[in-house]
Amino acid sequence: MIVNGFKDLGLPLMNIVKLRGTPILQQLVLEERLLRSSFENWCIINDGTNVPTIVMGMSGKPCELVELEPVVKDGIPVIKRFTGGGTVIVDESTVFVSLICNRDDVPNVQPYPRSVMAWSGSLYSHVFNGISGFQLRENDYVFGDRKFGGNAQSITRNRWIHHTSFLWDYNENNMAYLKLPSRVPQYRLERDHTDFVCRMKDYIERSVFIEKTINAVGTQFLLKELSLDEIDDSRREHLESTRLLTMDELKESLANTSRIKSIAQAV
Amino acid sequence: MASRLLWASRVASHLRISVAQRGFASAVLKDLKYADSHEWVKIEGNKATFGITDHAQDHLGDVVYVELPEVGHSVSQGKSFGAVESVKATSDINSPVSGTVFEVNEKLTESPGLVNSSPYEQGWIVKVELSDAGEAEKLMDSDKYSKFCEEEDAKH
């Protein structure tokens, strides 16, 4: 016990919150609140979300990123999140890991995206140690040339979040709701979604991944587990930007897209 | 790097201010003031123009989106008022001074890359009417900011 006590001296505290099946909107809203209004470090792990949901980055436009007609027809929720990055469709087979850190508690990391990702890439290299082909490649987590984890970040004056949706498994039909984005990494070449991504379950057990992630975080932080109920996120001095797009917004976007197509065809 | 110094010299000449030569480091313009969160501000009477510095744009990577505040929005020194998106990240832009926004750089909506290519000139972000001219005293001059950047980079 004394040895452990000495080992833990000097390590910053990290609150670990383990969720299962929590709606992704609820998770993202919580993360934005904790980033903006908490002074503590947080690791949130959500083992799957409850319904298939499309999640776009801060600057995402539905007409450019989403196949609006089937999305509207099938009533797929579309969320705009507070971090940057691209568009994903998540469901019960997605494992989410989010790390919210005080800049001062990770002093070797500069508050810029590439520095944060270099740190996270190193952390996950411990998780996937022994699995051939793992790397952070052009800002994606890949096995070889196939992406299995999409990540994004938000950086404030003194804190940052790096969060990842890991494709434990995925439904190929769901991928059809997403368009090929205009900005793609070079290594993607011109592959469509199903040729570009891979399933994490083919490489590591789900529970092993979660356990190894927690262990990897524990090499840099002193861990304290909290339940959702124990989180005090009552301080809300910031404007919340994460939101669910309304069906009216999606229908209007679809109508505008159709109008533009008709005009283009007429011309 | 030589082209970057040449660009900085051209900007400085246009703005009629002098450039601090920092060798291979990011460009820093004299006669601007700087915040420790890497925003620059040019004060003219009771009005100020600001944006992010060359150091910041270099570390952020290619900017693909700028979230601009509304005209009429109040900004406070040190507090976030907008954001830039680059390399999968949104990064807060913090106001170096307090005041009220009276103009935003609409060109950044179509051309966010101006923040990278011309951070002190075409990449300006907002113009404000100052509410407290004395706040500028808390900011760094070009020499202090240059040293600040060097010390920050040396730590990593």
Side-chain angles (χ1 to χ4, degrees), chain A residues 62-244:
Chain A
C63 58
E64 292 175 4
L65 298 165
V66 168
E67 296 289 357
L68 283 165
E69 213 170 305
V71 162
V72 167
K73 178 172 165 285
D74 297 343
I76 306 296
V78 179
I79 290 170
K80 191 176 270 205
R81 65 179 186 263
F82 65 103
T83 53
T87 306
V88 292
I89 181 157
V90 298
D91 57 24
E92 74 277 0
S93 300
T94 313
V95 180
F96 303 91
V97 179
S98 305
L99 293 153
I100 302 172
C101 295
N102 287 317
R103 178 180 170 176
D104 289 345
D105 289 336
V106 201
N108 56 322
V109 175
Q110 281 196 309
Y112 296 108
R114 287 176 291 212
S115 183
V116 173
M117 276 191 277
W119 174 84
S120 68
S122 170
L123 184 118
Y124 284 114
S125 70
H126 293 295
V127 176
F128 299 110
N129 187 26
I131 299 177
S132 166
F134 168 74
Q135 62 172 307
L136 178 69
R137 185 170 184 176
E138 290 184 60
N139 312 316
D140 291 337
Y141 295 123
V142 302
F143 294 122
D145 65 351
R146 290 218 175 202
K147 178 177 173 179
F148 70 93
N151 66 73
Q153 299 155 118
S154 185
I155 301 168
T156 69
R157 194 187 180 91
N158 296 312
R159 290 163 68 72
W160 47 260
I161 178 172
H162 173 86
H163 61 186
T164 309
S165 55
F166 288 99
L167 289 174
W168 170 254
D169 195 357
Y170 61 84
N171 181 329
E172 288 194 12
N173 292 334
N174 285 348
M175 292 294 173
Y177 289 117
L178 303 181
K179 286 186 175 177
L180 188 65
S182 57
R183 282 195 306 266
V184 293
Q186 283 184 344
Y187 79 95
R188 180 166 183 158
L189 303 173
E190 286 180 17
R191 292 179 283 166
D192 68 21
H193 286 296
T194 51
D195 287 333
F196 175 53
V197 297
C198 66
R199 295 173 166 88
M200 204 165 78
K201 70 177 188 180
D202 294 336
Y203 295 84
I204 189 169
E205 295 278 340
R206 195 160 175 159
S207 58
V208 170
F209 165 68
I210 291 173
E211 187 188 333
K212 284 185 144 195
T213 298
I214 293 172
N215 289 344
V217 174
T219 63
Q220 300 187 45
F221 296 88
L222 184 57
L223 305 182
K224 177 184 167 191
E225 192 166 340
L226 289 182
S227 67
L228 199 56
D229 296 337
E230 291 173 292
I231 300 175
D232 177 11
D233 66 337
S234 55
R235 281 187 68 216
R236 292 176 200 177
E237 295 157 5
H238 62 281
L239 281 173
E240 296 184 346
S241 58
T242 299
R243 66 183 190 89
L244 179 69

Side-chain angles (χ1 to χ4, degrees), chain B residues 69-76 79-81 95 97-101 128:
Chain B
E70 303 268 336
V71 169
H73 182 75
S74 291
V75 296
S76 300
K79 297 274 169 26
S80 162
F81 70 87
S95 190
V97 288
S98 304
T100 307
V101 175
V128 304

